[in-house]
Amino acid sequence: MFLIQYAPEILLRTGEHLILVIIAMTIAISLGIPLGILITRQPKLTGPILLVANAIQTIPSLAIFGFLISVPFIGGIGKIPAIVALTLYALLPLIRNTYIGITGIDPAIRETGKAMGMTDWQLLSQVEIPLALNVILAGVRVATVICVGIATIAAAIGGGGYGVFIFRGISTVNNQLILAGAIPAACMALAADFALSWLEKTGQRKRKINWKIALILAIISLIIVSLITFKPTAPTIVIGSKNFTEQVILGELLAQQIESQTHLKVDRRFNLGGTFICHEAVKAGKIAGYVEYTGTALTAVLKEKPLNNPQVVYQIVKRDYNQKFKLEVLSPLGFNNTFAMIIRGEDAKRLHIKTLSQASQYSPQWQAGFGYEFLERKDGYAGLAKTYNLKFAQPPQQMELGLIYEALAEKKVDFIAGGATDALISVLKLVILEDDKKYFPPYEAVPIFNQAILKKYPSLETAINQLAGKISTSEMQMMNYQVDNKSRRVEEVVQEWFKLKKLPTLTQVP
């Protein structure tokens, strides 16, 4: 049933993943092997080039993807920055193996070639490369496997591929979706490793390979995959979301509203990572808009101190986003998804805990688990710990948002930061501790849009503002529940909400 339901998307993501890997490896081979040859001829460049290639390997992949968002021409979100990042990661084994393969050849062989009157190019093409071919192909093999694996992270910046399933599965705690991305990615890596291993062994036996034929086959493969994956489409706008269930639902809700009211096509780039990636993407016009929370915008983006008045926070965010970023903050959608500090229901009952003040005395006995944003934000862990005198015995564990509830339920951690509208709270019989000192600011959900795109498509703002005040906290919880716990498709859940509100849906648009 799962395969039947998701078969078309699995094929689509397979094509996207292949495109990323093939293009990235083509570029990486075109750069890496010549650089490897260069440093065999210019030994002074060996240290700097290998140092840079090694340094790139040590940078976390998500950090490179995030950095590339604001880089002109090769940056933003989508396939181009993903290909750039994958190319960078593939360079080291290509450069290193080419260098090792050529420099490892017996010097007497070179001297013999020179004595026969061979030029440097003839020596390289007719002697050194054929002899070093098996080592060079081993580098191509390693680089390809690395590329296939890291390509799954490309989904965090809208690059597509199998990572779409993995991120969606993590955010919805759906193991089937995680496996739908992980298993094909592993199979692709194994297939690439086997094919290149066979090519490497063939190279060891024959020593000569017709590179023109190999290049032609690679180009033909690239064209075929491109034709399968990419189809000409009408002009579209891009809607993004962060990487958890509620955000994907809100992104789909914006997308369906736009498509039903404006007849514009929407390119959905969901699961883009955290606040930073979405904010930089909408500033750069790489996405038209996404849904943010006013408290997050105030503290994490504007770096202001937390405030408690919802209207004051909204006005500050609206004014400063307009002046500083040329972004339009539209009307709130109707619910407040404030941070929720959560413990297991059994612990709350056993210890008679209802508030954060009461919980503070037990914090030395607990292990906390938070998302990376909560650990860094001004309205996050540091301020909360100071306000409530929380003193955990061990530093909080940093983990993906989609894994936090499972970790709490399985007693891997005892105290987490979630959201007030998260469906898993009631399902797993967890308890939200009252913020009795009013530490957290309001987190009203508001659509954030790029002003230039709104100006280009005036109907957008009208369409989105029709959703103002329409989503209640209970409705948001129910939609989260349907996706997280009933494993229903986000598109179906959002369409049902439109019908519940008696709003036009995609099926009602001529």
Side-chain angles (χ1 to χ4, degrees):
M1 184 66 182
F2 178 86
L3 288 176
I4 295 173
Q5 184 179 10
Y6 284 95
E9 189 175 2
I10 290 174
L11 290 174
L12 171 66
R13 302 307 175 192
T14 299
E16 290 177 340
H17 212 90
L18 279 171
I19 283 290
L20 293 174
V21 173
I22 291 172
I23 296 178
M25 283 305 303
T26 301
I27 298 171
I29 289 170
S30 301
L31 294 174
I33 293 178
L35 282 173
I37 294 171
L38 174 65
I39 60 178
T40 64
R41 267 55 186 170
Q42 301 291 334
K44 291 182 180 179
L45 297 177
T46 303
I49 289 176
L50 288 177
L51 179 64
V52 171
N54 273 292
I56 291 171
Q57 285 283 338
T58 64
I59 301 173
S61 53
L62 194 57
I64 285 189
F65 287 131
F67 170 76
L68 286 172
I69 287 178
S70 56
V71 177
F73 304 113
I74 62 171
I77 63 171
K79 290 180 173 56
I80 292 177
I83 289 168
V84 171
L86 294 176
T87 300
L88 292 174
Y89 277 110
L91 285 177
L92 178 61
L94 294 169
I95 297 171
R96 184 176 56 197
N97 278 46
T98 302
Y99 174 75
I100 292 172
I102 293 176
T103 56
I105 295 171
D106 189 341
I109 296 176
R110 290 195 191 87
E111 293 303 321
T112 301
K114 290 177 181 179
M116 293 172 63
M118 297 180 75
T119 64
D120 188 60
W121 170 250
Q122 290 173 328
L123 190 65
L124 175 67
S125 60
Q126 297 177 28
V127 177
E128 292 179 326
I129 288 182
L131 290 176
L133 190 58
N134 61 319
V135 180
I136 294 172
L137 285 175
V140 174
R141 178 181 169 190
V142 171
T144 303
V145 172
I146 290 173
C147 206
V148 171
I150 295 180
T152 57
I153 310 296
I157 57 167
Y162 292 131
V164 171
F165 286 120
I166 294 172
F167 281 106
R168 193 189 305 167
I170 290 173
S171 66
T172 59
V173 198
N174 187 326
N175 289 333
Q176 285 184 316
L177 283 173
I178 294 173
L179 292 175
I183 291 176
C187 290
M188 186 180 290
L190 289 172
D193 184 67
F194 175 80
L196 290 168
S197 176
W198 173 84
L199 190 60
E200 185 182 338
K201 291 175 182 176
T202 301
Q204 287 176 346
R205 290 195 303 267
K206 296 186 176 180
R207 296 297 182 191
K208 290 184 179 180
I209 286 182
N210 192 325
W211 289 100
K212 291 182 180 180
I213 293 176
L215 181 61
I216 290 170
L217 289 174
I219 292 172
I220 291 173
S221 300
L222 183 59
I223 292 172
I224 291 172
V225 176
S226 299
L227 291 174
I228 293 172
T229 307
F230 295 110
K231 298 178 181 178
T233 59
T236 61
I237 63 165
V238 183
I239 294 297
S241 84
K242 301 184 195 181
N243 57 340
F244 54 95
T245 301
E246 180 170 296
Q247 276 281 303
V248 176
I249 292 172
L250 293 172
E252 179 62 28
L253 194 142
L254 293 186
Q256 289 196 24
Q257 175 70 0
I258 291 167
E259 289 181 335
S260 68
Q261 296 298 309
T262 68
H263 302 280
L264 291 169
K265 295 292 182 181
V266 175
D267 182 3
R268 292 156 170 82
R269 299 290 180 90
F270 301 156
N271 286 300
L272 287 181
T275 298
F276 168 75
I277 289 178
C278 288
H279 179 68
E280 291 299 319
V282 76
K283 265 177 38 181
K286 301 300 182 180
I287 62 174
Y290 76 106
V291 176
E292 187 54 274
Y293 304 95
T294 53
T296 301
L298 180 73
T299 57
V301 178
L302 297 175
K303 309 298 183 184
E304 299 286 346
K305 293 181 179 179
L307 299 172
N308 294 321
N309 188 308
Q311 190 59 31
V312 171
V313 171
Y314 174 75
Q315 291 300 331
I316 291 173
V317 170
K318 185 175 179 66
R319 180 197 67 207
D320 288 0
Y321 266 53
N322 186 357
Q323 294 176 355
K324 295 181 179 181
F325 310 127
K326 303 300 180 186
L327 298 175
E328 194 66 35
V329 180
L330 304 183
S331 302
L333 296 175
F335 68 94
N336 177 23
N337 185 11
T338 187
F339 271 117
M341 309 315 298
I342 302 167
I343 61 175
R344 287 180 290 273
E346 59 190 80
D347 291 342
K349 185 176 181 180
R350 175 172 55 85
L351 300 173
H352 305 288
I353 300 173
K354 294 183 178 179
T355 68
L356 281 167
S357 294
Q358 292 172 340
S360 63
Q361 62 181 306
Y362 298 100
S363 60
Q365 306 168 26
W366 289 343
Q367 173 67 61
F370 303 130
Y372 70 92
E373 276 194 29
F374 187 74
L375 289 169
E376 299 296 330
R377 293 163 56 134
K378 281 192 174 183
D379 60 339
Y381 171 64
L384 180 76
K386 184 176 180 181
T387 301
Y388 286 101
N389 195 32
L390 299 173
K391 297 179 179 178
F392 298 104
Q394 299 292 330
Q397 289 188 15
Q398 182 175 325
M399 58 184 68
E400 287 288 336
L401 293 175
L403 303 176
I404 283 180
Y405 285 102
E406 187 176 351
L408 180 63
E410 294 181 359
K411 299 186 178 181
K412 304 295 184 183
V413 295
D414 308 292
F415 183 96
I416 66 171
T421 59
D422 292 346
L424 290 175
I425 295 172
S426 58
V427 172
L428 297 177
K429 297 181 180 179
L430 308 177
V431 170
I432 298 176
L433 298 173
E434 181 188 345
D435 180 16
D436 50 306
K437 294 185 180 180
K438 307 299 180 186
Y439 167 72
F440 291 114
Y443 294 91
E444 294 183 302
V446 290
I448 306 287
F449 272 76
N450 183 284
Q451 288 182 351
I453 295 176
L454 286 180
K455 187 176 293 185
K456 184 176 180 180
Y457 302 105
S459 58
L460 267 179
E461 185 169 356
T462 303
I464 298 302
N465 276 332
Q466 289 175 5
L467 299 174
K470 289 288 197 301
I471 309 175
S472 68
T473 300
S474 60
E475 287 169 350
M476 194 69 248
Q477 285 177 331
M478 181 54 65
M479 286 191 281
N480 287 335
Y481 173 79
Q482 291 293 324
V483 175
D484 276 339
N485 303 99
K486 296 296 184 181
S487 298
R488 298 189 59 197
R489 293 175 67 88
V490 171
E491 297 83 357
E492 296 173 358
V493 171
V494 170
Q495 276 202 337
E496 283 189 2
W497 180 85
F498 274 101
K499 291 177 182 177
L500 177 68
K501 291 293 187 177
K502 298 181 179 179
L503 296 171
T505 64
L506 293 175
T507 56
Q508 294 173 281
V509 179

